[in-house]
Amino acid sequence: MASPKIEAVVVDRHRMAECPVWDEESGQLMFVDISAGLVCRWDPLSRAVQTVHLRDQVGCLALRRGGTYVVAVGTCLGLLDWTTGQVQWLSQVEKDKPHNRFNDGKVDPMGRFVAGTMPEPSGPGVWAHGQGSLYTLYADGSVVRQQDGLGIPNGMDWSLDHRTFYHVDSLQYAVHAYDYDLQAGCMGNPRLLFQLQEEGGMPDGMCVDTTGRLWVACIDGGQVIHLDPETATVLQTVVMPVSRVTSCCFGGPEYSDLYVTSASDGLSADQLSREPQAGHVFKVTGLGVKGIPQCRFAG
């Protein structure tokens, strides 16, 4: 079993750092701060972080081309030009659900952007059930709702053969699998893949490695778990120095570094004093596995 090394590489205290994406084109790490409405870009050479502030909570982003990115902001989808900081808005969903917003998302192997919506909490740790949906943004700008009646759709990725779509439902403490039609971009036959116990934290962001196994960040659990989808067993647990672990992705020149985001929102003053690295972004090395480059939106 590999012995990992954990290093804080982005040491700003973000409120809700999420959705890390390694941009191979620039050799930089992209991520968002949901609560602050920020899209962030970290340069591992200069260690500098650049940001673009958007008008609402930024649920997630994905790669596109030439310094542009897909962003899910509030209940809107758009294309962000990093140089100008301007967004070309493409679509808005769920106008009948004013308390919903986009959460996590990822581009499928054919260049479509899949993203989920979730309800805002009505109180600390209190969410309405069955309000979340999964949407697909196609290259032509059209949007189709794929699934509804979900809790909090979260971390998502595809199997190595692209025939299975995985996603976390945080509210159900579960990882689900779907049959995936890559040509049409449709999903069906939902089934429970793995049920987490509440004491281990709520499952959040997720990614796949080159062996087809899953890495799931567990918020309020202070850990990232390595899961075998074939046997539904936990292979390894990476214990992080902060409790509110939000998401993860592989990156670096060889895709052997696991980048892990975290949050400071939701912690009391006493908890923050005991977790000085809350809200930082971490790099985990020495895991003995590699990840897969993330796909770019084709639109």
Side-chain angles (χ1 to χ4, degrees):
M1 184 70 70
S3 178
K5 174 187 175 183
I6 301 172
E7 172 194 5
V9 292
V10 184
V11 296
D12 302 317
R13 175 165 279 179
H14 291 94
R15 294 180 60 190
M16 186 65 69
E18 259 279 13
C19 193
V21 181
W22 181 259
D23 187 348
E24 187 176 276
E25 192 175 89
S26 66
Q28 297 176 327
L29 182 74
M30 306 296 301
F31 61 97
V32 304
D33 185 331
I34 295 176
S35 303
L38 294 176
V39 179
C40 307
R41 185 166 73 178
W42 174 71
D43 186 334
L45 298 179
S46 68
R47 314 289 277 194
V49 178
Q50 297 175 308
T51 61
V52 171
H53 183 262
L54 298 182
R55 67 186 190 188
D56 203 345
Q57 295 185 92
V58 187
C60 59
L61 84 156
L63 305 177
R64 191 176 176 239
R65 60 178 179 271
T68 61
Y69 305 91
V70 186
V71 289
V73 182
T75 54
C76 296
L77 297 170
L79 304 176
L80 168 65
D81 185 309
W82 185 263
T83 302
T84 65
Q86 299 299 305
V87 179
Q88 175 191 349
W89 299 108
L90 301 177
S91 182
Q92 182 177 12
V93 302
E94 301 190 356
K95 296 179 182 179
D96 59 329
K97 294 182 178 180
H99 301 296
N100 269 22
R101 66 166 176 85
F102 272 110
N103 191 37
D104 209 352
K106 195 165 284 186
V107 176
D108 82 356
M110 290 291 284
R112 311 175 190 95
F113 182 55
V114 180
T117 57
M118 62 167 283
E120 290 284 20
S122 57
V126 180
W127 292 272
H129 287 254
Q131 297 301 302
S133 295
L134 283 170
Y135 292 88
T136 298
L137 171 66
Y138 291 82
D140 63 2
S142 62
V143 177
V144 173
R145 183 165 63 183
Q146 301 283 354
Q147 301 286 327
D148 60 7
L150 305 175
I152 299 178
N154 224 320
M156 50 194 75
D157 217 324
W158 286 262
S159 60
L160 299 183
D161 64 6
H162 308 151
R163 297 175 64 181
T164 304
F165 170 69
Y166 304 113
H167 91 86
V168 166
D169 192 318
S170 297
L171 207 52
Q172 296 180 15
Y173 287 79
V175 181
H176 294 286
Y178 295 77
D179 294 340
Y180 198 74
D181 184 335
L182 185 61
Q183 295 307 311
C186 299
M187 60 190 74
N189 186 29
R191 53 203 179 272
L192 177 66
L193 183 69
F194 189 76
Q195 184 71 55
L196 285 81
Q197 301 303 308
E198 292 190 20
E199 57 267 23
M202 179 181 278
D204 201 329
M206 179 177 69
C207 63
V208 169
D209 64 27
T210 55
T211 69
R213 291 165 177 160
L214 313 179
W215 295 81
V216 183
C218 297
I219 192 165
D220 295 323
Q223 62 183 2
V224 179
I225 59 173
H226 187 197
L227 175 65
D228 186 341
E230 296 297 325
T231 61
T233 56
V234 175
L235 303 173
Q236 183 179 3
T237 299
V238 179
V239 178
M240 302 297 298
V242 293
S243 59
R244 307 219 77 200
V245 180
T246 56
S247 191
C248 55
C249 80
F250 283 94
E254 304 296 326
Y255 284 89
S256 58
D257 305 328
L258 184 70
Y259 288 96
V260 181
T261 50
S262 71
S264 60
D265 272 8
L267 296 177
S268 67
D270 180 58
Q271 288 172 313
L272 287 171
S273 69
R274 288 187 276 112
E275 295 188 27
Q277 293 180 305
H280 293 185
V281 179
F282 300 87
K283 181 173 74 172
V284 183
T285 54
L287 291 169
V289 297
K290 294 183 178 182
I292 299 167
Q294 296 193 33
C295 301
R296 294 179 182 272
F297 179 59

